[in-house]
């Protein structure tokens, strides 16, 4: 289990790769885009540099971590020796199911196939493989190198052996694994996403403005980040996707996405990654803030 394959070099994927590599695992970071791999490695390097500057790790630790990561655009080459695969591709059911069909054929028989999905049923993903007992959810929180929680989600057929291996592995990463069962949204997003959706509803119904809603939740409920800012950070498209999975899974109208959220995603206002969501993250806006500080 010293060879780990991570699929997807985006925010979650590069964070997962960083964390495993920092703890001495050999990591194959796989993505169909070389540009995404380059950006992922740049992010890992920047985060490691920040840790060195804060004296959390030594320069040698940074170098060892980077040396533990090898990038691949070829799924077969990247996953062929993995004892564990952690899939962190985009939150799209069709993409994930196709990936797991391919991984089932490509990986050794004893490889555990884990998914970082935040809402798609593990049982459904496992059903497209010939090893459903070795398929499990390993839901890391963002930012992965910092956040302690890992939701470990058992599918209907996930074995005790697979679950125990993954729980122990998470502990070796100095995470706090929490075992949950396979229902839409699991625990974290089943509670978080309705709260975010209700905050969007409050904005949609003109109860209060964006900053006012976030201020109430930060100061009144001791949340480190308001729900609308958090939605921007997660990605409004991801929030919408999770809510749609939960709505489809439970057939309960309380999980129906707010029309404002739907329209913002349609308009391409996805939050931090697009430069605008409930807040403006564009370079011009950053320049305005810097100017205001010195005026």
């Amino acid at each position: 289990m010293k060879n780990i394959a991570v699929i997807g070099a985006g925010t979650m994927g590069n964070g997962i790769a960083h964390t495993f590599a920092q703890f001495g695992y050999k990591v194959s970071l796989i993505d169909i885009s070389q540009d995404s791999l380059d950006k992922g490695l740049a992010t890992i390097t920047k985060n490691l540099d920040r840790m060195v500057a804060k004296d959390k790790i030594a320069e040698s630790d940074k170098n060892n971590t980077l040396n533990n990561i090898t990038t691949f655009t070829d799924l077969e080459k990247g996953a062929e020796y993995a004892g564990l695969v952690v899939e962190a591709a985009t939150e799209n059911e069709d993409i994930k199911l196709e990936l797991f069909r391919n991984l089932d054929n490509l990986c050794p028989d004893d490889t555990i196939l884990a998914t970082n999905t935040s809402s798609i049923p593990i049982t459904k993903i496992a059903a497209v493989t010939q090893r459903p007992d070795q398929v499990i959810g390993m839901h890391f929180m963002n930012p992965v190198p910092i956040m302690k929680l890992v939701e470990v989600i058992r599918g209907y057929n996930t074995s005790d052996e697979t679950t125990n291996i993954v729980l122990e592995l998470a502990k070796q990463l100095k995470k706090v694994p929490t075992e949950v069962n396979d229902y839409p949204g699991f625990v974290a997003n089943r509670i978080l996403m309705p709260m975010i959706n209700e905050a969007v509803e409050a904005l949609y119904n003109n109860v209060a403005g964006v900053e006012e809603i976030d201020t109430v939740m930060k100061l009144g409920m001791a949340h480190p980040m308001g729900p609308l800012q958090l939605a921007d950070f997660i990605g409004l498209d991801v929030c919408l996707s999770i809510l749609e999975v939960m709505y489809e899974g439970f057939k309960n109208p309380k999980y129906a996405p707010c029309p404002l959220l739907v329209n913002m995603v349609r308009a391409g206002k996805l939050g931090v990654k697009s430069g605008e969501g409930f807040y403006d993250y564009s370079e011009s806006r950053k320049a305005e803030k810097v100017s205001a500080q010195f005026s």
Side-chain angles (χ1 to χ4, degrees):
M1 195 60 74
K2 295 302 289 184
N3 294 319
I4 310 296
V6 178
I7 300 176
T11 301
M12 295 305 297
N14 71 59
I16 294 167
H18 170 164
T19 302
F20 273 106
Q22 189 176 333
F23 283 87
Y25 292 89
K26 296 296 182 183
V27 178
S28 299
L29 181 58
I30 307 165
D31 200 291
I32 58 173
S33 165
Q34 184 61 51
D35 184 56
S36 293
L37 288 168
D38 293 341
K39 288 178 179 177
L41 276 179
T43 298
I44 293 170
T45 303
K46 183 172 72 173
N47 290 336
L48 288 168
D49 284 337
R50 188 178 294 117
M51 295 174 77
V52 171
K54 293 182 177 180
D55 292 324
K56 291 186 176 181
I57 61 171
E59 186 72 24
S60 60
D61 296 322
K62 168 195 164 182
N63 294 332
N64 289 337
T65 298
L66 291 172
N67 288 335
N68 282 336
I69 302 172
T70 306
T71 62
F72 295 88
T73 54
D74 187 310
L75 181 64
E76 182 174 2
K77 290 180 180 178
E80 62 181 337
Y81 299 118
L84 170 73
V85 177
V86 182
E87 172 274 316
T90 185
E91 192 71 357
N92 179 291
E93 184 177 297
D94 292 338
I95 291 173
K96 290 184 187 293
L97 295 182
E98 184 61 24
L99 270 171
F100 273 78
R101 286 190 193 97
N102 291 333
L103 289 167
D104 190 39
N105 292 324
L106 296 173
C107 294
D109 291 342
D110 59 350
T111 301
I112 292 173
L113 304 180
T115 174
N116 185 60
T117 181
S118 50
S119 60
I120 298 168
I122 308 305
T123 303
K124 189 169 190 177
I125 293 173
V128 303
T129 75
Q130 300 300 311
R131 61 180 91 193
D133 58 317
Q134 293 164 230
V135 178
I136 194 165
M138 201 174 186
H139 183 209
F140 291 85
M141 304 293 126
N142 185 29
V144 180
I146 296 172
M147 298 292 279
K148 292 292 187 183
L149 175 66
V150 179
E151 275 189 309
V152 176
I153 306 106
R154 295 182 66 135
Y156 189 83
N157 292 305
T158 306
S159 69
D160 290 342
E161 180 182 8
T162 296
T163 303
N164 290 334
I165 289 171
V166 169
L167 288 170
E168 183 56 35
L169 192 58
K171 291 175 185 176
Q172 290 176 18
L173 301 176
K174 296 193 176 178
K175 302 297 185 185
V176 180
T178 303
E179 186 179 340
V180 305
N181 291 318
D182 188 21
Y183 293 96
F186 315 132
V187 172
N189 283 315
R190 185 168 179 173
I191 296 170
L192 174 63
M193 287 302 154
M195 182 192 74
I196 287 176
N197 199 42
E198 194 61 32
V200 182
E201 285 279 0
L203 179 64
Y204 180 57
N205 290 309
N206 201 30
V207 176
V210 171
E211 293 187 9
E212 288 75 12
I213 290 169
D214 278 353
T215 297
V216 167
M217 296 305 291
K218 286 189 290 186
L219 299 185
M221 313 305 165
H223 290 193
M225 187 181 294
L228 300 176
Q229 185 183 10
L230 179 56
D232 277 355
F233 187 69
I234 294 168
L236 303 194
D237 53 336
V238 175
C239 294
L240 177 60
S241 176
I242 294 169
L243 284 164
E244 287 174 338
V245 168
M246 293 170 64
Y247 182 53
E248 176 65 25
F250 290 116
K251 301 292 191 295
N252 189 324
K254 75 177 181 178
Y255 299 114
C258 176
L260 175 58
L261 178 62
V262 174
N263 277 341
M264 290 180 71
V265 172
R266 286 174 178 165
K269 298 182 187 300
L270 309 181
V272 175
K273 61 186 170 185
S274 71
E276 184 179 358
F278 294 107
Y279 293 87
D280 187 351
Y281 305 93
S282 64
E283 290 301 321
S284 60
R285 180 60 178 157
K286 290 178 184 176
E288 286 176 13
K289 288 183 178 180
V290 171
S291 177
Q293 289 175 351
F294 292 97
S295 62

